[in-house]
Amino acid sequence: MTWALGTEPAAVVIEEAMAKLDAGHRSFKLKMGAQDPADDVRRVCAIAEKLAGVAGVRVNINARWDRLTSLRYLPSSPTRCRSR
């Protein structure tokens, strides 16, 4: 079952995700679109890097970004997070 994580700061979301890992969750959906795109991507990358190798991570932009914003800011692969 996928657990939805909110738009709180990365440290808060990571703490929640770690607790859910202990409860058996291995799939997470991160909400995006509530912050400045560059800040939001940095937040999501920090969370995804912490969960790498232990859980699947997806994002939900909640229809807040248009196509051009998505293409500009979303990393096309996890390795792009590390270069930000």
Side-chain angles (χ1 to χ4, degrees):
M1 178 185 316
T2 298
W3 185 263
L5 298 165
T7 59
E8 295 85 8
V12 173
V13 174
I14 289 167
E15 184 177 330
E16 179 183 358
M18 299 311 270
K20 294 302 175 185
L21 281 171
D22 290 342
H25 289 275
R26 295 292 179 263
S27 176
F28 296 97
K29 177 178 75 169
L30 296 169
K31 294 189 180 211
M32 294 182 75
Q35 300 178 18
D36 170 77
D39 294 337
D40 220 1
V41 168
R42 278 190 291 276
R43 180 185 75 87
V44 167
C45 283
I47 296 163
E49 287 172 358
K50 185 69 175 181
L51 296 173
V54 295
V57 177
R58 298 181 284 153
V59 296
N60 178 354
I61 301 172
N62 293 320
R64 292 282 191 109
W65 292 1
D66 59 25
R67 184 174 189 275
L68 292 176
T69 302
S70 298
L71 290 171
R72 178 176 176 195
Y73 287 99
L74 286 179
S76 57
S77 73
T79 56
R80 281 204 47 209
C81 275
R82 288 187 276 274
S83 66
R84 292 191 174 268

